[in-house]
Amino acid sequence: MNMKIGYARISTQDQSLYLQEDALQAAGCDKVFVDKFSGVTKERPGLIQALEFLRENDTLVVWRLDRLSRSFKDLIALVIDFKEKGIQLCSLTENIDTSSLNGQLIFHFFGAMAEFERGLISDRTKAGLQAARARGRHGGRSRLITSTQEEKLKLLIKDPKFSPKELQEMFGISKTTLYRYAQLNKEREQL
């Protein structure tokens, strides 16, 4: 059975969900999930529940697209994910329904915009790296410790008098970095 699942969101506790909930009920939603968080907030339990509840051939209904996503990029990602899962999207205010031919055109438009945006990001990254190289700078991570410190660390890692915590503090490195150096040291010894 195809279901219409509604999602409503308000940004502040002072706002009311009545307008959105009424519109979603009038649109025939079988179930409505809500959030009372700013769109900037990544954790939106109502949206997560709605997305987990949706099945193939279901329709997610929102009052307006800005209630669904924090940015155009997030909206594109959601729309592409919906298409892959066979889920339809309906926005009441913008009059977008992806189960119609016009709505399918919107899906294709969103996909093309996502591809275009990925291309722009790639082009900007390449141009930035090229400009940095022209100035003698190269990308990548800088060394966390000097080669002299690395040699000391290799020796101290073998010494049972020093705990990992003491080595971290001594060299100003994280636990992950310490264990990465320890693993490198083991691999070199095995060669």
Side-chain angles (χ1 to χ4, degrees):
M1 182 174 106
N2 301 349
M3 296 183 73
K4 284 187 174 182
I5 307 303
Y7 174 69
R9 181 181 59 81
I10 54 173
S11 300
T12 66
Q13 297 296 329
D14 297 338
Q15 294 177 333
S16 170
L17 284 166
Y18 296 138
L19 173 67
Q20 293 179 56
E21 288 177 320
D22 291 347
L24 295 172
Q25 293 299 328
C29 289
D30 301 295
K31 189 166 181 67
V32 175
F33 294 90
V34 299
D35 276 322
K36 295 181 179 181
F37 295 104
S38 165
V40 176
T41 304
K42 285 189 176 190
E43 291 300 318
R44 292 180 282 165
L47 179 59
I48 291 167
Q49 290 172 340
L51 296 176
E52 288 173 353
F53 193 85
L54 286 163
R55 300 291 174 253
E56 187 175 357
N57 296 320
D58 285 350
T59 302
L60 180 67
V61 182
V62 292
W63 179 62
R64 277 184 17 191
L65 289 176
D66 69 348
R67 302 293 85 200
L68 180 59
S69 68
R70 300 182 319 268
S71 67
F72 186 62
K73 181 180 176 184
D74 289 341
L75 180 62
I76 289 170
L78 274 173
V79 169
I80 289 170
D81 187 49
F82 289 164
K83 183 175 184 183
E84 290 171 0
K85 293 178 179 176
I87 296 169
Q88 305 302 321
L89 173 65
C90 178
S91 174
L92 302 174
T93 304
E94 287 91 0
N95 200 23
I96 295 172
D97 182 354
T98 60
S99 65
S100 70
L101 285 175
N102 287 340
Q104 290 173 18
L105 177 63
I106 297 287
F107 260 142
H108 292 294
F109 173 73
F110 283 148
M113 290 300 293
E115 192 173 323
F116 178 70
E117 184 174 14
R118 281 191 298 272
L120 285 177
I121 290 168
S122 175
D123 287 350
R124 284 193 299 258
T125 301
K126 288 175 186 172
L129 288 171
Q130 189 176 4
R133 277 189 218 106
R135 288 176 176 75
R137 295 175 48 208
H138 299 279
R141 289 184 172 199
S142 59
R143 290 187 57 90
L144 298 171
I145 59 176
T146 65
S147 55
T148 306
Q149 289 174 316
E150 185 178 346
E151 293 303 317
K152 271 187 190 175
L153 179 59
K154 284 183 208 173
L155 294 172
L156 294 176
I157 284 174
K158 296 176 191 176
D159 191 338
K161 290 186 228 167
F162 295 100
S163 72
K165 187 73 174 162
E166 289 172 318
L167 292 173
Q168 283 175 246
E169 290 172 3
M170 201 179 300
F171 289 91
I173 56 176
S174 70
K175 188 177 189 178
T176 305
T177 302
L178 173 66
Y179 285 108
R180 187 173 345 128
Y181 279 113
Q183 186 62 36
L184 278 173
N185 198 28
K186 281 182 193 175
E187 289 170 6
R188 286 180 187 155
E189 286 175 356
Q190 291 173 356
L191 293 176

